Amino acid sequence: MNSEAAVGGLVGGPPLRFGLTPEERQRYEEEGFVVREAVVDDEWLAEVRADLADLHERMADRPPEGVHLSWEHEVDPAVTRRIKQLMHAELISPALNRLVRSEPVLDVVESILGPDISLFHCKLLMKAARDGTVTPWHQDYSYWETRDNRPLMLNCMLQIDDSTLENGCLQMVPGSHKGGLLEHERAGRVFGRFLPGHFAPRADAEPVPLRAGSAIFFGPLIIHGSDANQSEHDRRAVTIAYNVTGNGAPASREVLRGNPDAGPPSES
């Protein structure tokens, strides 16, 4: 576990052992994302990888109840049957279930969202070697927007394998969250909401390669995407989305911290 305790917390609230430092909080506000190295240690990563052994074959045979799958061949029929996205990953991995509610993650989340935190969802992005397809430019809130929620969610994307340009690391457009929700095009497939140009090169995009065990935290309005995996190595990651309790409450799966009866957040 990362032992470099960051003591930033909410103004007026108790210090958080792993909360954002003032510098990290400023970076998040300005750029729309912040990176934390070594959120989990090698032993924890080994547990995650053991939980995911032969996952493509196991899920193709008989996925557990409550797990929702999308496949790479649904995007490109020429691709081998490989998982693109597995929703509610905490149901198939005890190690990921612990990560969802771990102090090093929740302290960062509380630094940004406040003390009332719910699980929005937890999904695996498998990005298999040679078969992992593009994730086009998009804003997550284009999928999540409803009449009774606001763009207050926060993603924690933790790398299970090292991510590089060659294997399709996440790419962010710093500061793009300040422009609000943009109009997205739609297609009837997984990751079927995307900005014009799909995944055309952008001069304002910044690749964010990460070592396994590190995480990037980012909000629902920042523009991001990832290229196809053109390497011989998987680029697996888990994305845990958190929400402020009461912000579109029916969509939240579980209250993790704070007041379980918290009402919708004010429009401050």
Side-chain angles (χ1 to χ4, degrees):
M1 197 74 60
N2 187 358
S3 61
E4 296 179 8
V7 295
L10 297 171
V11 174
L16 299 170
R17 184 183 177 201
F18 296 99
L20 294 182
T21 65
E23 294 77 15
E24 287 175 320
R25 181 59 190 256
Q26 183 177 8
R27 190 176 310 126
Y28 177 81
E29 296 292 343
E30 289 299 314
E31 298 189 349
F33 66 94
V34 65
V35 169
R36 271 289 176 88
E37 302 287 346
V39 173
V40 299
D41 59 22
D42 290 344
E43 184 178 350
W44 198 333
L45 270 180
E47 289 185 55
V48 173
R49 290 167 179 160
D51 290 344
L52 304 187
D54 302 318
L55 191 67
H56 300 289
E57 293 74 19
R58 286 192 283 127
M59 294 299 107
D61 181 42
R62 183 175 296 179
E65 184 177 354
V67 168
H68 302 289
L69 291 154
S70 302
W71 298 88
E72 294 288 5
H73 68 268
E74 296 169 355
V75 178
D76 181 354
V79 168
T80 305
R81 187 177 177 87
R82 291 287 181 264
I83 298 166
K84 184 172 181 68
Q85 176 178 279
L86 185 151
M87 190 67 76
H88 309 317
E90 77 277 10
L91 300 178
I92 59 99
S93 168
L96 290 180
N97 188 47
R98 296 203 321 274
L99 181 69
V100 164
R101 58 204 76 243
S102 67
E103 186 181 22
V105 171
L106 287 178
D107 278 3
V108 174
V109 175
E110 184 169 339
S111 294
I112 296 170
L113 297 188
D116 299 319
I117 302 168
S118 289
L119 173 64
F120 197 50
H121 62 240
C122 174
K123 65 182 179 183
L124 275 170
L125 300 167
M126 295 292 281
K127 196 73 91 168
R130 293 292 176 187
D131 291 323
T133 54
V134 161
T135 298
W137 301 118
H138 69 284
Q139 297 165 293
D140 287 336
Y141 194 53
S142 68
Y143 292 94
W144 300 345
E145 183 184 23
T146 69
R147 289 180 298 176
D148 66 346
N149 75 17
R150 292 162 53 211
L152 301 176
M153 305 81 172
L154 181 70
N155 286 303
C156 167
M157 181 175 177
L158 181 131
Q159 287 303 138
I160 299 167
D161 307 299
D162 291 347
S163 68
T164 65
L165 270 174
E166 188 183 15
N167 70 14
C169 68
L170 193 66
Q171 299 191 39
M172 313 294 284
V173 180
S176 58
H177 61 300
K178 298 178 182 180
L181 183 63
L182 304 177
E183 188 68 27
H184 284 59
E185 298 178 9
R186 300 193 181 196
R189 59 176 183 264
V190 62
F191 289 105
R193 299 188 186 190
F194 48 86
L195 293 168
H198 199 254
F199 196 66
R202 297 183 58 132
D204 56 354
E206 177 182 318
V208 188
L210 289 174
R211 292 184 64 83
S214 298
I216 179 170
F217 293 82
F218 59 97
L221 290 174
I222 189 167
I223 296 169
H224 61 288
S226 63
D227 207 346
N229 186 346
Q230 302 178 47
S231 78
E232 300 298 332
H233 305 285
D234 293 339
R235 194 233 67 183
R236 297 168 295 179
V238 60
T239 298
I240 310 165
Y242 296 94
N243 198 1
V244 176
T245 301
N247 183 42
S252 295
R253 290 173 61 80
E254 179 185 354
V255 175
L256 299 173
R257 272 191 184 178
N259 180 7
D261 299 317
S266 65
E267 294 277 355
S268 58

